Amino acid sequence: MDKNSDMYSQHISQQFNNELEEIKNQLLSMGGLVEKQVSDAMRALIDADSGLAKEVRRKDDDINQMELHIDEECTRILARRQPAAIDLRLVLACSKAATDLERVGDEAAKIARHAIKLTEEGEAPRGYIETRHIGSRVRRMIQDALTAFARFDPELAFRVAQEDKSVDLEYKTAMRELVTFMMEDPRSITRVLNIIWVLRSLERIGDHARNIAEHVIYLVKGQDVRYIGLKRMKEEVLKDS
Amino acid sequence: MDKNSDMYSQHISQQFNNELEEIKNQLLSMGGLVEKQVSDAMRALIDADSGLAKEVRRKDDDINQMELHIDEECTRILARRQPAAIDLRLVLACSKAATDLERVGDEAAKIARHAIKLTEEGEAPRGYIETRHIGSRVRRMIQDALTAFARFDPELAFRVAQEDKSVDLEYKTAMRELVTFMMEDPRSITRVLNIIWVLRSLERIGDHARNIAEHVIYLVKGQDVRYIGLKRMKEEVLKDS
């Protein structure tokens, strides 16, 4: 290869690397925004702040637009760059993680909707402590899943998947208590149901964080670890790739 | 081009077409299985048939495996065939639709779980008629979304998206009635909650059918119609592509 064409192909490949880096950065900033939406929605709920809740609902469309934009970029890279191996996995993982983040944004908007209802109907008599606790845990899961993505860290990703299982248990306990409470105090049903829907949304957010973590493992290890259970997932993560 | 190399490239492109056809067929048979899962889960609920409900739960992993398989095939085609234009959109739409179908399978398994609980806790005093009605509508939506995929029919896909909006309204009405009923008869709370969770799952299934319909419109028209509202979606569908 003569020097000019070598420089040309280096130039192309540098540009391609920049594009990949750019799409990853877009995903991470979408993640930051989504994480803030969850945090604001929870704060609106705890502080009965309907103004903040309305802001969360307004911002949901920004997140939708970010998903569309990332997805378009991914398709453009697939069509023009025809990536292979880890580059291809990065593009696919970005596209899938963007879908999960968009759904997390939807759940944050739903939490905000119930926060607004609770300011109208009056505070629920129970469930705030559990909800706040599960809320912090799933926010942390989102943060960790994104850090794992940023650092290509499958071990951190695995810990997110582990955490999801433990959050599910806490969710079930909280739900049982709220149902028992409703039976003892039927006048509280509509208000407690709002908290129940919030809990359900938080549990879904945990699932999406786990999905993102699984995309990271796929991206780094080249192995699809969905549906194989935590034990086998751990083996795949510890395996040399 | 000499005759041999021409035959060779025709052979390659025929093989590629076969691969695309094959992945589309796999998606459609996955769809058929998922649709049967929803239908069996609903039958298990209405007939209080816990044997059938358990079968639905057992079969969920087959659906997960089908998703993994379709996704692997899609990645393989992207890496080896480097498809462009409508071929690329077909591969991406198959991969995304497979994710939605897998989630519909999850919801069918959840419905089956509540069907089992209701055989243990005793029938719910209300909600079966509404649930059965919404159940038929979302099953029909899944069928139509798959038919639209099979026929590359964006107009049928649009009707699925339209139907989703009307199902959401029926869902909200049914929910309100069930909440009112629980307040009047608190002893029924746990049983009615099972029906409420089933309704929520059906509503989610409707959302996934709409997602699949949107993938079809993207595939045929090359236009991403998520988040633009039904009015603009209709314009895109009717536009010459």
Side-chain angles (χ1 to χ4, degrees), chain A residues 24 26 66 122 163:
Chain A
K24 191 179 144 193
Q26 280 177 21
M66 286 175 102
E163 178 75 358

Side-chain angles (χ1 to χ4, degrees), chain A residues 45 107 110-115 117-118 131 171 175 178 189-205, chain B residues 171 175-176 179 182 192-193 195-201 203-204:
Chain A
L45 180 84
E107 299 299 336
K110 283 183 199 166
I111 293 172
R113 185 155 52 86
H114 293 293
K117 277 198 184 163
L118 282 167
T131 307
Y171 161 79
M175 287 292 267
L178 288 175
I189 287 179
T190 45
R191 286 170 293 146
V192 173
L193 270 178
N194 280 308
I195 297 289
I196 284 183
W197 293 127
V198 169
L199 277 174
R200 183 80 156 193
S201 283
L202 292 173
E203 188 259 343
R204 298 288 304 154
I205 291 174
Chain B
Y171 160 79
M175 287 292 268
R176 259 196 306 272
V179 171
M182 282 199 294
V192 174
L193 271 177
I195 297 289
I196 283 183
W197 294 129
V198 169
L199 276 174
R200 182 78 157 197
S201 284
E203 189 260 341
R204 298 288 305 154

Side-chain angles (χ1 to χ4, degrees), chain A residues 32-101:
Chain A
L33 200 62
V34 165
E35 201 256 308
K36 186 169 184 306
Q37 287 281 89
V38 176
S39 145
D40 285 350
M42 286 305 294
R43 197 148 55 86
L45 180 84
I46 307 281
D47 300 347
D49 181 343
S50 64
L52 182 57
K54 281 174 192 157
E55 206 181 304
V56 170
R57 286 170 64 73
R58 260 198 311 277
K59 282 190 190 151
D60 186 43
D61 195 54
D62 295 350
I63 288 169
N64 298 342
Q65 296 307 320
M66 286 175 102
E67 186 203 2
L68 290 183
H69 184 71
I70 290 174
D71 231 19
E72 260 174 37
E73 276 303 293
C74 288
T75 309
R76 210 185 51 80
I77 293 179
L78 289 174
R80 290 175 40 176
R81 300 290 185 186
Q82 306 170 336
I86 191 167
D87 295 340
L88 175 58
R89 295 203 302 273
L90 176 61
V91 175
L92 295 176
C94 279
S95 166
K96 290 187 176 192
T99 303
D100 280 301
L101 286 174

Side-chain angles (χ1 to χ4, degrees), chain A residues 67 71 96 102 226-227, chain B residues 67 71 96 102 226-227:
Chain A
E67 186 203 2
D71 231 19
K96 290 187 176 192
E102 189 273 329
R226 289 175 290 180
Y227 323 124
Chain B
E67 186 203 2
D71 231 18
K96 290 187 178 193
E102 190 273 329
R226 290 175 290 180
Y227 323 124

